[in-house]
Amino acid sequence: MKAIVQDTYGTSEVMQFRDVGMPTPKPGEVLIQVRASAIDAGVWHLMTGLPYMIRPALGLRRPRNPIRGTDVAGVVEAVGADVTEFKPGDEVFGTCWAAFAEYVTTKPAKLTRKPENLTYEQAAAIPVSATTALNALRDKGEVQPGQRVLVIGAGGGVGSYAVQLAKMFGADVTGLCSTSKMDFVRSLGADEVLDYTKDDFTRDEFDLILDIAGNRPLNHVRKALSARGTLVIVGGENGGKILGGTQWMLKAPLLSLFTSHRVRGVISLANKKDLEVLRDLAEAGKIVPAIDRVHPLSEVPQAVAYAQAGKAKGKIAITV
Ligand SMILES: NC(=O)c1ccc[n+]([C@@H]2O[C@H](COP(=O)([O-])OP(=O)(O)OC[C@H]3O[C@@H](n4cnc5c(N)ncnc54)[C@H](OP(=O)(O)O)[C@@H]3O)[C@@H](O)[C@H]2O)c1
């Protein structure tokens, strides 16, 4: 089968489009014919092997698994022994470890039925980013109707779902993004959009802030929180090559001890239960994947470079 393979860590040039062996499903696994995948920030973390703290799990000098791609939508090709939940021909979406390929295996617990009203590309744009936004808002942020919510990084993959989900939960939503993404964030349903190159969001006050961009000191972001407000740290790329921002996640519970604010970090892993919630929301038209562009499998390197440059409005999908 064709796949995008990397033999070493590095920039998108390390990714090569070439032939590899077909995976076979082990007991308890599902073999999927991949129809679409998507890019998320995790793809380029795994591609570069940065921050270094992820390397012990991935391979110290080179990736043990040479194929990237976490989001998947496709058709079940075969099932291993003990799998009763899915059968060949089922249309599914979810997560796996090597979706930039024509076939991939994964566990049934990471899959569910694909939303009927979405294309494979739209469905593949949901799992990682939308689950993260859902976990940040519902589980860590405990968002309530009528609350004022600020989404920092509203124009990206996670942010595009955070804006839509916060509106769905009944919040009053402000999105913070660069000038070129303001119209896009407005189109997602944000009540207000601030341009971080001109506007000072700390002049305002929010009950809940999702910091997806993570580019500012936590004490600066907290200036915009109401007295008993909640800051949820989702991500950011300014944390250095060793820890990559995880230090803010670790600091979060400590900060909460010394202030009236609740500060929480999110580590989101897509799971069947949340995928079902998101599928139902998609089928009800409550969330719509925002796709900036679609690339064929052979163009994954270009797609990753575009995403890494921070240019994408919402998600980039890969068609297989
Ligand atoms: N904790 C978890 O479980 C989890 C899960 C998924 C992702 N993440 C992390 O979340 C982060 C975002 O992921 P993503 O997939 O959404 O990436 P993305 O699609 O690249 O989006 C990031 C967004 O941040 C915006 N941004 C950059 N600098 C900013 C600033 N100073 N202020 C406001 N916005 C700024 C970028 O656009 P503009 O600058 O043009 O507005 C971009 O739209 C990454 O660090 C990722 O590793 C964490």
Side-chain angles (χ1 to χ4, degrees), residues 136-137 139-143 147-150 206-211 221-222 224-233 256 260-265:
L137 281 163
D139 307 328
K140 298 290 177 174
E142 298 175 49
V143 63
Q147 279 188 330
R148 293 205 67 205
V149 174
L150 173 67
F206 300 93
D207 304 300
L208 172 60
I209 300 178
L210 258 51
D211 190 355
V221 177
R222 280 176 45 230
L225 272 183
S226 59
R228 307 197 77 76
T230 303
L231 167 60
V232 179
I233 304 164
S256 294
S260 64
H261 296 148
R262 291 188 304 178
V263 185
R264 294 170 170 181

Side-chain angles (χ1 to χ4, degrees), residues 8-317:
T8 177
Y9 293 119
T11 58
S12 57
E13 281 118 61
V14 300
M15 292 183 146
Q16 297 167 359
F17 184 54
R18 63 179 200 230
D19 290 313
V20 295
M22 277 267 296
T24 45
K26 296 191 186 76
E29 286 186 345
V30 176
L31 176 69
I32 301 167
Q33 184 194 27
V34 181
R35 295 291 180 85
S37 183
I39 310 284
D40 67 282
V43 166
W44 35 271
H45 285 295
L46 300 183
M47 177 188 79
T48 55
L50 295 174
Y52 287 115
M53 63 166 289
I54 64 176
R55 290 205 187 186
L58 300 180
L60 286 181
R61 301 175 75 89
R62 62 186 65 82
R64 276 191 288 273
N65 173 357
I67 306 178
R68 306 274 69 81
T70 311
D71 289 313
V72 65
V75 181
V76 173
E77 177 80 8
V79 296
D82 308 330
V83 176
T84 51
E85 204 178 330
F86 297 105
K87 59 180 187 322
D90 286 349
E91 295 187 315
V92 292
F93 80 126
T95 58
C96 60
W97 281 108
F100 296 158
E102 289 175 317
Y103 293 89
V104 71
T105 54
T106 192
K107 304 262 186 214
K110 295 181 174 186
L111 292 175
T112 192
R113 176 178 64 73
K114 170 186 158 291
E116 275 175 4
N117 57 333
L118 298 190
T119 63
Y120 287 107
E121 287 75 14
Q122 288 174 311
I126 289 180
V128 172
S129 298
T131 303
T132 304
L134 183 67
N135 294 161
L137 281 163
R138 180 195 64 188
D139 307 328
K140 298 290 177 174
E142 298 175 49
V143 63
Q144 300 297 323
Q147 279 188 330
R148 293 205 67 205
V149 174
L150 173 67
V151 179
I152 301 180
V158 177
S160 64
Y161 288 106
V163 170
Q164 296 184 64
L165 287 167
K167 281 307 296 173
M168 199 263 318
F169 283 120
D172 181 278
V173 183
T174 298
L176 183 69
C177 60
S178 58
T179 317
S180 66
K181 293 185 183 165
M182 291 183 77
D183 286 342
F184 168 67
V185 174
R186 228 171 259 121
S187 76
L188 298 168
D191 298 285
E192 199 178 341
V193 183
L194 299 178
D195 177 348
Y196 65 74
T197 68
K198 296 187 194 129
D199 302 318
D200 178 5
F201 67 90
T202 64
R203 291 190 180 175
D204 231 322
E205 195 173 271
F206 300 93
D207 304 300
L208 172 60
I209 300 178
L210 258 51
D211 190 355
I212 302 168
N215 291 329
R216 297 164 186 83
L218 292 187
N219 284 343
H220 181 73
V221 177
R222 280 176 45 230
K223 283 186 193 166
L225 272 183
S226 59
R228 307 197 77 76
T230 303
L231 167 60
V232 179
I233 304 164
V234 179
E237 299 304 325
N238 269 5
K241 284 190 168 180
I242 295 174
L243 293 175
T246 45
Q247 64 270 37
W248 313 129
M249 304 267 186
L250 299 173
K251 269 189 186 174
L254 284 177
L255 254 178
S256 294
L257 294 176
F258 300 106
T259 77
S260 64
H261 296 148
R262 291 188 304 178
V263 185
R264 294 170 170 181
V266 177
I267 296 176
S268 174
L269 289 173
N271 59 79
K272 188 191 292 290
K273 218 168 138 203
D274 288 341
L275 286 171
E276 285 170 353
V277 169
L278 293 162
R279 180 199 55 215
D280 293 348
L281 290 173
E283 288 186 338
K286 301 245 170 79
I287 57 165
V288 179
I291 297 185
D292 180 303
R293 49 171 74 182
V294 179
H295 284 269
L297 181 62
S298 58
E299 289 179 9
V300 163
Q302 291 93 312
V304 174
Y306 181 75
Q308 198 168 4
K311 292 180 187 159
K313 293 176 180 146
K315 297 289 300 176
I316 301 167

